[in-house]
Amino acid sequence: MKKQVYKERIIYQIYPLSFKDANNDGYGDLKGIIEKLDYLKDLGIGMIWLSPIYASPLKDNGYDISDYYKINPLFGTMQDFDDLIAEAKKRDIKIVMDLVINHTSDQHPRFQEALKNKDSKYRDYYYFRKGNGKKPPNNRNSAFSGSCWEKVPNEDNMYYLHLFTKEQPDLNYQNEEVIKEVENILRFYLDKGVSGFRCDVINQIYKTNLENGKFSLFSRGREHYENQEGNFKILERFRKEVLDKYDEAFLVGETSALTPKIGQEYIDRRALDMFFEFDHAFCKSFKLIPIFKKPFYKPKDLFKPIFKWQKEVSWIGAYLENHDQLRSVSRFGDEKEFYKESAKALSIFLLSLKGTIFIYEGEEIGTLNYKNLTYEETNDCMAKNAVDSTRKILHVSKNRAFKWVNKTVNRDHARAPFQWDDSVNGGFNEGHTPWLKINEYYKEINVKKEKNEDNSILNFYKKMIRLRNESETLKFGDFEEIKSNNYVAKFLRKTNNEIFLIVVNLSKKTFKDKKLDESKEIILSNYEKHNKNVLKPYEAIIYKIK
Ligand code: NOJ
């Protein structure tokens, strides 16, 4: 039986650009990550997932790879990467790489060759197609807005396909050579000692055909490229040809547009070991329409999709934050009066769920969205594209469009340099202007300060992580939802020997419940003092049922 290390450890996502800049050039780097391994070990982390560190022009911050076998010089060298693996191993921390194989960068030599030379065999590594009259080959659009076809310069009526930015041309998985190349990449990093891969948009890699898509505002044509049989087959092949030959290799899929049934199929066919669902990430917690002052969000909008997946699939990657999402306290908690309580409540909620828990850098110190971020300060290509399309559709000013985009989908909120202390640039580096501005809250919210405060969010995460690491029930117990209200989540985690009840109030309301504490022992709670049978604002408790 292969080891399933990914089921036992908490995974911490590092966004290398922003984690720690050891050489003070404004960009985070691998040496910086090595410096902070002890911090992660102390936190209780058993595995780190590195967002892409490969050579890249960074049009989409590394999700556009120009050489899969080279480390981006901004991050360091292959030797630094080998050192990171060795240093992590010393501390029993495993490494997960980001595998971005739906597309390459347009600067990848194979794509460059395909662009320049019509007869190159690399044309068929991608999708080059003739236009349909004056129009692109089909009506599909890119996830980052606009058509998913870009004109090939200096060639008449020829286009290439890109589901994301035009600098990210899609690879053709009907071409055997492409599949073989990916298998070699997998082997290369597994041989180095990497434990697994987080696979970018992995349920979209196989395009069954290039017919027009059904009408839809977003991702038109997805019925021809999402969760196709060909997609399963490729992943099954990776498993058989590569992963099965390594002791503990695993794949976690980034898979939007999934149903629990399809998600379970990925697991049952061993196409993936687990995946991320996106229903809760799209839940209506935003001020969706700029004219509404208050969002019509209730915490149940978050609980409901999460619980659906908890109940319906055997294993999952559970998360609240990643590099594409707003900060969870800003979104689901309270930035002001109940800031600490709400951050801790979210920690109890997340770390009590079934599946492998993913914590995103900064989540453990309660990082908030930027207070103010302007269009000019924004780096995120998707946010900028969203501003353009909002302007086109709603005919509003750039400012107005940006205001809305910034509140809802600007991914830079999660990408600000990490807040290590209250010194210049929050201790991210020694003072060189960072690639993205420092979050305004760094003096109040940082590791150094929180380490020294007994009741800090960081110290609470540590406690909660320890509890999870030591509890078979939290790691492997079954999940059962208990009916609750719009504001309070209640669920059980059970094994044959033990039952935990988790109660999480994600609102400012107080609730009384005569039976709340009946026959129960409190294992962990986010308030110093719990009033019997009362649930205070953002109070969260893990009970053991007697
Ligand atoms: C998902 C990644 O998480 C996101 O950051 C990226 O922009 C797209 N895939 C395209 O690779």
Side-chain angles (χ1 to χ4, degrees):
M1 173 80 174
K2 271 175 58 120
K3 281 196 243 156
Q4 294 188 314
V5 280
Y6 64 89
K7 289 196 170 173
E8 290 161 12
R9 294 167 180 241
I10 289 169
I11 304 187
Y12 185 94
Q13 183 190 352
I14 291 183
Y15 199 64
L17 274 172
S18 296
F19 194 57
K20 173 74 192 173
D21 173 15
N23 67 351
N24 195 33
D25 65 352
Y27 299 91
D29 45 45
L30 296 176
K31 285 208 163 77
I33 299 175
I34 295 174
E35 261 179 43
K36 296 297 180 187
L37 285 175
D38 287 333
Y39 164 75
L40 297 174
K41 184 72 194 166
D42 185 50
L43 188 61
I45 298 304
M47 220 181 275
I48 51 182
W49 149 26
L50 301 172
S51 274
I53 54 170
Y54 319 90
S56 159
L58 299 183
K59 289 285 177 199
D60 188 16
N61 291 3
Y63 286 87
D64 49 325
I65 299 172
S66 53
D67 189 337
Y68 290 82
Y69 296 99
K70 278 210 180 100
I71 302 297
N72 187 331
L74 288 174
F75 298 145
T77 60
M78 198 49 95
Q79 184 57 51
D80 293 334
F81 182 57
D82 291 339
D83 292 348
L84 171 61
I85 296 179
E87 288 300 320
K89 195 167 177 197
K90 277 189 206 158
R91 294 160 176 87
D92 190 28
I93 294 179
K94 313 236 175 220
I95 294 191
V96 182
M97 298 290 276
D98 219 307
L99 186 75
V100 188
I101 54 165
N102 175 65
H103 42 266
T104 67
S105 156
D106 64 346
Q107 299 306 309
H108 194 290
R110 304 244 195 283
F111 185 73
Q112 283 296 316
E113 172 66 25
L115 260 192
K116 282 179 209 138
N117 177 0
K118 275 189 208 162
D119 302 320
S120 159
K121 71 166 188 168
Y122 297 126
R123 276 247 156 156
D124 193 48
Y125 271 46
Y126 297 88
Y127 284 99
F128 283 78
R129 291 292 184 279
K130 282 240 174 280
N132 181 7
K134 287 212 160 116
K135 289 199 202 137
N138 63 33
N139 69 354
R140 300 188 193 177
N141 49 15
S142 112
F144 288 171
S145 76
S147 166
C148 65
W149 293 98
E150 180 68 14
K151 268 200 141 159
V152 174
N154 309 324
E155 229 179 287
D156 206 23
N157 201 26
M158 184 57 82
Y159 295 78
Y160 67 84
L161 176 79
H162 61 91
L163 286 185
F164 295 89
T165 67
K166 64 179 180 3
E167 292 88 1
Q168 293 165 299
D170 279 44
L171 285 164
N172 172 12
Y173 280 89
Q174 309 221 358
N175 182 331
E176 174 69 18
E177 292 293 308
V178 171
I179 301 177
K180 281 196 184 139
E181 294 232 14
V182 174
E183 287 171 349
N184 288 337
I185 297 168
L186 291 170
R187 284 188 198 102
F188 179 80
Y189 287 99
L190 287 167
D191 286 342
K192 281 191 174 291
V194 155
S195 297
F197 299 88
R198 173 270 188 194
C199 309
D200 193 65
V201 294
I202 199 65
N203 57 333
Q204 310 188 345
I205 61 174
Y206 187 85
K207 282 85 182 164
T208 301
N209 61 54
L210 295 176
E211 288 162 20
N212 276 336
K214 284 197 299 226
F215 177 77
S216 146
L217 280 182
F218 307 104
S219 307
R220 199 177 305 135
R222 53 174 34 170
E223 65 279 15
H224 303 296
Y225 66 79
E226 265 170 1
N227 306 312
Q228 306 291 298
E229 178 56 24
N231 215 116
F232 282 93
K233 290 242 161 73
I234 292 167
L235 291 171
E236 285 174 326
R237 176 169 157 178
F238 290 164
R239 175 79 56 186
K240 193 161 157 262
E241 296 298 322
V242 186
L243 299 168
D244 273 348
K245 311 225 154 53
Y246 296 80
D247 230 16
E248 45 180 55
F250 70 92
L251 299 181
V252 45
E254 191 215 20
T255 45
S256 62
L258 217 59
T259 58
K261 192 162 166 265
I262 301 175
Q264 191 60 47
E265 189 179 344
Y266 276 106
I267 294 184
D268 291 343
R269 291 175 66 170
R270 297 178 66 239
L272 294 169
D273 296 279
M274 60 176 157
F275 51 81
F276 299 126
E277 56 83 17
F278 283 85
D279 290 346
H280 77 278
F282 294 127
C283 86
K284 56 181 184 209
S285 77
F286 312 126
K287 294 176 185 172
L288 266 181
I289 305 175
I291 49 172
F292 289 111
K293 288 232 168 61
K294 281 206 168 161
F296 13 29
Y297 160 80
K298 296 216 168 45
K300 196 173 186 178
D301 299 326
L302 171 69
F303 305 147
K304 220 173 134 191
I306 291 189
F307 290 169
K308 176 179 88 181
W309 288 92
Q310 288 280 306
K311 286 185 280 193
E312 294 184 30
V313 297
S314 56
W315 199 261
I316 195 158
Y319 71 98
L320 289 176
E321 290 189 18
N322 62 40
H323 63 292
D324 294 333
Q325 310 297 326
L326 300 182
R327 289 293 185 174
S328 58
V329 182
S330 299
R331 195 170 167 198
F332 306 117
D334 181 41
E335 290 187 336
K336 302 211 162 83
E337 194 184 350
F338 298 106
Y339 163 62
K340 272 194 184 175
E341 289 79 3
S342 70
K344 292 176 188 177
L346 287 167
S347 138
I348 289 191
F349 179 65
L350 173 66
L351 282 136
S352 300
L353 292 173
K354 181 177 96 178
T356 300
I357 305 299
F358 286 77
I359 297 177
Y360 179 65
E361 64 174 50
E363 192 171 358
E364 77 279 16
I365 55 169
T367 304
L368 298 176
N369 287 348
Y370 284 106
K371 268 188 211 167
N372 296 302
L373 187 68
T374 62
Y375 179 85
E376 287 66 34
E377 287 163 339
T378 294
N379 166 278
D380 178 17
C381 59
M382 189 188 85
K384 292 197 156 165
N385 286 344
V387 169
D388 292 344
S389 18
T390 309
R391 292 189 68 187
K392 265 192 217 141
I393 298 168
L394 298 178
H395 302 287
V396 291
S397 69
K398 188 161 118 187
N399 276 351
R400 186 96 192 267
F402 178 71
K403 219 171 151 186
W404 177 74
V405 165
N406 194 37
K407 273 196 188 126
T408 53
V409 292
N410 192 341
R411 303 183 296 178
D412 282 350
H413 290 293
R415 300 175 176 188
F418 196 98
Q419 296 151 220
W420 292 104
D421 58 40
D422 62 1
S423 69
V424 61
N425 292 340
F428 168 64
N429 64 15
E430 300 285 310
H432 190 292
T433 309
W435 72 279
L436 188 64
K437 89 167 184 183
I438 300 291
N439 182 306
E440 301 90 338
Y441 292 102
Y442 77 93
K443 293 215 163 149
E444 300 107 73
I445 303 173
N446 64 61
V447 170
K448 188 172 169 209
K449 180 160 177 267
E450 295 194 27
K451 266 198 168 166
N452 296 328
E453 283 169 8
D454 279 350
N455 74 347
S456 67
I457 296 169
L458 176 62
N459 282 324
F460 191 81
Y461 261 88
K462 252 167 103 170
K463 243 190 256 168
M464 185 63 222
I465 289 172
R466 191 176 327 122
L467 177 66
R468 176 151 185 128
N469 280 340
E470 289 170 0
S471 162
E472 294 296 296
T473 306
L474 286 180
K475 278 193 284 191
F476 301 114
D478 290 337
F479 172 93
E480 192 180 313
E481 184 184 358
I482 307 274
K483 211 170 163 21
S484 45
N485 62 33
N486 282 337
Y487 306 93
V488 180
K490 280 191 191 166
F491 57 96
L492 302 177
R493 298 297 312 282
K494 325 199 253 193
T495 54
N496 289 337
N497 311 323
E498 195 172 52
I499 304 181
F500 285 159
L501 166 69
I502 294 97
V503 181
V504 183
N505 177 7
L506 275 193
S507 77
K508 291 183 185 163
K509 295 177 192 297
T510 298
F511 295 93
K512 289 190 182 141
D513 174 354
K514 275 187 267 167
K515 294 195 172 156
L516 185 63
D517 290 281
E518 200 177 84
S519 319
K520 297 178 195 91
E521 175 197 345
I522 294 184
I523 301 291
L524 186 70
S525 136
N526 62 344
Y527 271 80
E528 257 162 48
K529 195 177 160 306
H530 167 67
N531 292 351
K532 201 165 170 213
N533 295 333
V534 176
L535 206 54
K536 288 187 254 187
Y538 291 98
E539 184 163 3
I541 305 173
I542 302 181
Y543 289 105
K544 184 166 163 173
I545 300 204
K546 284 187 188 154

